[in-house]
Amino acid sequence: MLKNCFLAFLVGGSICMLGQLLMNTYGSLGLGKTDAGTLTSVSLIALSALFTGLSLYDNLARHAGAGTLVPITGFANSIAAPAVEFRTEGFILGVGAKMFTIAGPVIVFGVSASVVYGLIYWICQMLK
């Protein structure tokens, strides 16, 4: 158990360290803190999806356990993994449909909540 905890800490910390390194690099290129943070998130999602597609993320998770569940990379993996698994069924019924089996409810709620919030904000701005 101690070994598993150490590996989870090491891998999770390395993912977070990579995120901080990316953020510092983007900041040093002249991006503001918000833009650098956004680009860091996009980069971590893209890397996670790429590593999932290449079957590297699963191998890492097998050894690191909970260390790969760092929220942004774990979420990207949970979307990409079913898509890769069902790619033989085609792009629409395989990749497209299965990609959202795990993460779909979260995405639907997030999009729906943002639309409702946007409408409320728009109405409040119109009433001013």
Side-chain angles (χ1 to χ4, degrees):
M1 186 167 94
L2 186 61
K3 177 186 161 198
N4 291 340
C5 289
F6 176 74
L7 286 173
F9 176 78
L10 184 69
V11 172
S14 297
I15 292 171
C16 292
M17 187 175 70
L18 173 63
Q20 188 64 51
L21 179 67
L22 287 170
M23 185 142 171
N24 291 348
T25 302
Y26 295 141
S28 70
L29 294 174
L31 292 175
K33 189 173 184 177
T34 302
D35 291 336
T38 301
L39 198 52
T40 298
S41 296
V42 169
S43 298
L44 288 173
I45 290 168
L47 286 171
S48 178
L50 176 67
F51 287 171
T52 299
L54 297 173
S55 297
L56 298 174
Y57 201 91
D58 291 337
N59 292 337
L60 180 63
R62 192 172 298 116
H63 297 291
T68 57
L69 294 178
V70 174
I72 199 161
T73 56
F75 187 69
N77 176 282
S78 72
I79 292 175
V84 170
E85 184 178 339
F86 290 97
R87 70 180 177 262
T88 57
E89 294 181 23
F91 284 113
I92 295 174
L93 296 176
V95 175
K98 301 298 182 181
M99 185 165 37
F100 298 107
T101 55
I102 294 173
V106 176
I107 293 171
V108 169
F109 176 77
V111 170
S112 301
S114 66
V115 167
V116 169
Y117 174 77
L119 286 173
I120 292 170
Y121 181 77
W122 179 70
I123 291 169
C124 290
Q125 293 299 315
M126 296 299 285
L127 295 175
K128 283 187 176 181

